[in-house]
């Protein structure tokens, strides 16, 4: 896309209006004015109009008001008429002499304005006899008085000619050009979608949360959208460094937004600076900080239209956010420090804001302020704003008088930054600075955490990172240790390494660390270990504590705690209790509070949606999570979303799609020795094999996770293939292995963990029991309270029960169970399972058992094109760019396409499209 095309993003409506005017002016003349705020894109539209006119053979005469020529009579008219100077010879002597003198081409007394005006109109009409003429004038109010008067005269007398007049000006600006009665168009701000598109096209590397801030500050002003990102550092653009409270302005933006503020009285500017730095517009705080009578000094700013008091909220509101930036640019560092001190004095009951203002006001090391900022960092991190926490820690380090405190705070910033995907070079620099500040071992654990994450996000692997953290924790696990700093971070990091590693022996060091540092480890982390490390053996014992913790999420605001508690639900099936809190994290994350927690919450909600049978939502959440992970540099999180996508694809019968996704997952995870991804791939393989009836393959996949007759230690995914293994074993004649696995399930007390696991345990025992006792066990399984919350698992048990009944010649009794299973499978989009159920139901003598076939031929050509691009892996945004559609329009089409193809997810598109007949136009050819 060219620079000019980029500048016109979102201006399709205006381009259409201009095209209509050009057509009219070329035929019958006319005038038109574009009115817009500074930076709104008036010049870009005038340029587009001039180009379009020249392409159609119209002669374009351009001029622009220039401030330093405003006192030079007829300077603007000189620009307009210079290209048609040859027409002057055709004028009568009186008109010719008047124009020549006015424009500086001849000598003589000053000509009469009316004479110059009629001469100008005559020249233009003469020129238009050969081809249409278009005058294009930018910055109309800056034209000199004489030129503005002449052009105003001409603009009103163009009807019936082939001369057009197109000019741009700002609203409310005084001008000598008389525009009353002339048609005009108000150029408004870009709408949000266009603003995002403009920024994305020019700054594709901009992190989404930074783009949101830029779009919010610019308020649809194209110039601001293009220049604000350019003033940010590379780290700020990548969201690896916190953005300033007010964004810095380029010189052009300063000129646009600072001019009116610069003319204000000094007391008014001082109050505006207080208002900018206070941030919320609270007049009570401003009045207390400024003094009881000084609040009245705001009057000139209100009269200038820079601020207003919102009648509804009673708060001070800036007319444009960039006015705030301009106010800061006009102030000195001393003025800003004084304002911060005055505000801090009024915020004793808001410690976070007070600490920030004190930090900004400080010029020398101050341990008290540094300590307050360190506390602020912890509060900020609980809200999942890792970048804000790092910024507070870095400022705390700058203000730390003692080298040991400075080192500790830098190491803590490095640990937080590494865990939340700051750039590796940035983290390495922080670690280096921490070591230079103080080589003491007080920061040892924090340094190890940062190094482990740097290793894993680079070319390292989980086992090496695990070894590094284990060694660091063991070195600190002695009675004479200097400090407990970093214990929580180190043990949390070790938990993640153990979970990613997927190897039972890795967990030994985690359990030892939990035992050694028990007083320093919060209960949440202990519960996480008990429910996620080896839930088969330890989850049941902590369920009352887990339930209490989940119940407390209703009022929880700490994002990290919400995600920790939600993780305890993964293998205990308590996701519904976490749902509301997780959606809060998602909503706040989408508004820019923190990307890493947003991605994690999407993963947790995706698991909930999968188990609850909302597979379309699970797919959407996985798509969003994967896109965010890739966009923000969180490679550690990508495999989990591909796992979810592959699981849905396998269950829906999109076997090629499932295979491709697991291949992508393993291609990234295998070199990093992320064993959990390998186990997840076996889970996908088991589901796919059962769906297509390849029970030998299903058995091999299920037993790769946990051997038959054993619920493998520290392999939580063994809980998700309980019934897979037993069904595959029975169908391949391995009855001894099936019975052994049922015994292991019963002995472990799996049924006590959740209704779903009780259903799978009872269903497994029913499958493995060959005689009539198995029928009673199926009844008991289906009677377990709460199993309807897990439709896929429920339908599988119903199907197996109906199948057993039919083959026991209880045909009538089998039909309700098979029909119920079929209805659920169809609703979920689990096509292979629906086909199996339909075949069994048809075997009972029931007709029309097979699910309706999708109406493949009903796809429109555009829908087929969108489906093919989506099947090729393009995102909605990428498809929209290719087909000149919005991403929302693409999403709406896919919403219509899926049911037409009989699928529920993007992953199933490729297989569904392969079954399509050729389009009619292709057949005719």
């Amino acid at each position: 896309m060219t620079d000019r095309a980029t500048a016109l993003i979102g201006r399709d409506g205006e381009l259409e209006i201009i095209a209509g005017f050009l057509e009219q002016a070329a035929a019958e003349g006319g005038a038109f004015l574009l009115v817009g705020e500074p930076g709104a894109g008036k010049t870009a539209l005038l340029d587009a109009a001039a180009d379009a006119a020249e392409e159609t053979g119209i002669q374009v005469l351009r001029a622009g008001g220039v401030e330093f020529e405003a006192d030079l009579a007829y300077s603007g008219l000189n620009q307009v008429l210079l290209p048609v100077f040859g027409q002057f010879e055709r004028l009568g002597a009186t008109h010719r002499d008047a124009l020549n003198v006015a424009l500086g081409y001849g000598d003589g007394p000053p000509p009469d304005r009316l004479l110059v005006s009629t001469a100008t109109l005559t020249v233009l009409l003469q020129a238009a006899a050969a081809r249409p003429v278009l005058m294009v004038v930018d910055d109309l109010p800056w034209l000199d008085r004489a030129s503005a008067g002449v052009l105003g005269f001409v603009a009103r007398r163009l009807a019936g000619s082939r001369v057009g007049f197109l000019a741009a000006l700002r609203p409310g600006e005084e001008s000598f050009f008389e525009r009353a009665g002339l048609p005009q168009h108000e150029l408004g701000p870009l709408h949000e979608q266009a603003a995002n598109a403009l920024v994305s096209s020019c700054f594709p590397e901009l992190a989404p949360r930074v783009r949101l801030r830029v779009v919010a500050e610019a308020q649809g002003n194209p110039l601001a959208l293009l220049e604000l990102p350019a003033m940010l550092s590379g780290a700020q653009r990548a969201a690896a460094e916190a953005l300033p409270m007010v964004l810095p302005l380029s010189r052009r933006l300063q000129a646009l937004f600072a001019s009116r503020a610069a003319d204000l009285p000094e007391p008014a500017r001082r109050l505006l600076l207080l208002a900018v730095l206070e941030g919320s517009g609270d007049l009570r705080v401003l009045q207390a900080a400024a003094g009881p009578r000084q609040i009245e000094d705001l009057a000139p700013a209100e009269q200038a239209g820079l601020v207003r008091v919102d009648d509804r909220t009673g708060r001070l509101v800036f007319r444009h956010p960039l006015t705030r930036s301009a106010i800061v640019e006009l102030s000195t560092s001393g003025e800003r420090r004084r304002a911060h001190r005055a505000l801090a004095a009024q915020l004793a009951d808001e410690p976070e804001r007070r600490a920030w203002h004190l930090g900004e006001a400080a010029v020398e090391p101050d341990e008290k302020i540094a300590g307050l900022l360190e506390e602020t960092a912890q509060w900020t991190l609980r809200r999942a704003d890792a970048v804000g926490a790092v910024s507070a820690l870095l400022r705390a380090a700058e203000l730390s008088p003692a080298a040991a405190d400075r080192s500790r705070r830098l190491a803590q910033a490095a640990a937080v930054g590494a865990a939340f995907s700051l750039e590796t070079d940035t983290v390495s620099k922080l670690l280096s600075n921490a070591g230079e500040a103080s080589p003491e071992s007080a920061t040892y654990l924090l340094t190890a955490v940062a190094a482990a994450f740097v290793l894993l996000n680079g070319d390292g692997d989980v086992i090496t990172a695990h070894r590094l953290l284990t060694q660091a924790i063991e070195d600190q696990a002695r009675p004479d240790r200097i400090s407990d700093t970093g214990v929580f971070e180190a043990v949390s990091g070790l938990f993640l390494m153990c979970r990613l590693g997927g190897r039972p022996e890795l967990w030994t060091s985690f359990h030892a660390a939990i035992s050694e540092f028990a007083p320093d480890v919060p209960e949440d982390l202990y519960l996480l270990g008990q429910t996620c490390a080896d839930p088969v053996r330890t989850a049941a014992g902590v369920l009352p504590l887990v339930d209490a913790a989940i119940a407390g999420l209703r009022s929880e605001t700490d994002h990290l705690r919400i995600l920790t508690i939600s993780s305890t639900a993964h293998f205990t099936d308590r996701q519904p209790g976490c749902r509301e809190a997780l959606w809060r994290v998602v909503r706040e994350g989408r508004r820019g509070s923190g990307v890493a927690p947003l991605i994690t919450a999407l993963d947790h909600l995706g698991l909930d949606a999968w188990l609850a049978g909302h597979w379309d939502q699970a797919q959407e959440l996985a798509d969003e999570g994967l896109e965010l992970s890739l966009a923000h540099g969180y490679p550690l999180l990508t495999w989990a979303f591909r796992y979810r996508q592959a699981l849905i694809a396998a269950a829906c019968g999109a076997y090629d799609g499932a295979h491709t996704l697991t291949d992508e997952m393993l291609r990234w995870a295998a070199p990093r020795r992320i064993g959990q991804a390998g186990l997840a791939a076996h889970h996908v393989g088991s589901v796919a094999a059962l769906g297509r009836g390849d029970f030998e393959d299903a058995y091999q996949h299920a037993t790769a996770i946990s051997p038959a007759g054993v619920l493998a230690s520290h392999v939580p995914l063994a809980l998700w293939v309980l019934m897979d293994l037993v069904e595959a074993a029975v169908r391949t004649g391995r009855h001894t292995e099936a019975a052994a696995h049922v015994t292991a399930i019963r002995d472990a007390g799996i049924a006590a963990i959740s209704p779903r696991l009780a259903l799978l345990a009872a269903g497994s025992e029913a499958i493995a029991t060959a005689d009539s006792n198995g029928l009673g066990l199926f009844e008991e399984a289906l009677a377990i309270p709460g199993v309807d919350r897990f439709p896929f698992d429920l339908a599988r048990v119903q199907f197996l029960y109906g199948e057993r009944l039919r083959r026991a010649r209880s045909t009538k009794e089998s039909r309700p169970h098979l029909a119920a299973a079929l209805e659920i499978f169809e609703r979920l989009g689990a096509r292979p399972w629906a086909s199996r159920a339909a075949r069994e139901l048809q075997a009972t003598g029931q007709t029309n058992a097979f699910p309706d076939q999708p109406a493949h031929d009903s796809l429109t050509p555009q829908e087929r094109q969108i489906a093919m691009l989506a099947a090729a892996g393009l995102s909605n945004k990428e498809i929209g760019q290719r087909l000149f559609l919005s991403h929302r329009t693409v999403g709406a089409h896919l919403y219509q396409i899926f049911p037409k193809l009989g699928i529920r997810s993007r992953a199933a598109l490729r297989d569904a499209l392969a079954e399509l007949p050729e389009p009619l136009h292709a057949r005719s050819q």
Side-chain angles (χ1 to χ4, degrees), residues 700-768:
Q700 296 303 326
H701 279 298
T703 54
I705 295 173
S706 183
V710 177
L711 297 182
S713 173
H714 291 82
V715 181
L717 280 183
L719 290 173
W720 289 357
V721 292
L722 295 174
M723 200 164 73
D724 297 25
L725 193 155
V726 173
E727 181 184 356
V730 168
R731 292 185 186 274
T732 56
R734 294 179 172 93
H735 298 285
T736 302
E737 288 85 346
H741 211 62
V742 167
T743 300
I745 294 170
R746 188 190 308 116
D747 291 346
I750 295 303
I753 296 177
S754 75
R756 187 178 75 92
L757 292 175
L759 172 70
L760 296 179
S764 297
E765 187 168 1
I767 295 167

Side-chain angles (χ1 to χ4, degrees), residues 377-436:
Q378 299 306 318
W379 292 326
T380 304
L381 194 57
R382 292 188 194 106
R383 291 197 304 273
D385 182 2
V387 174
V390 169
S391 296
L393 286 167
L394 292 179
R395 183 58 177 153
E398 291 174 0
L399 295 175
S400 302
D405 291 328
R406 182 170 186 269
S407 174
R408 173 174 53 78
R409 286 159 180 156
L410 286 172
Q412 195 171 354
V416 172
F420 287 87
S421 196
L422 281 185
E423 292 179 359
T424 302
D425 290 346
T426 304
V427 176
S428 299
K429 184 177 179 181
L430 289 175
L431 289 173
S432 175
N433 291 343
E436 292 173 4

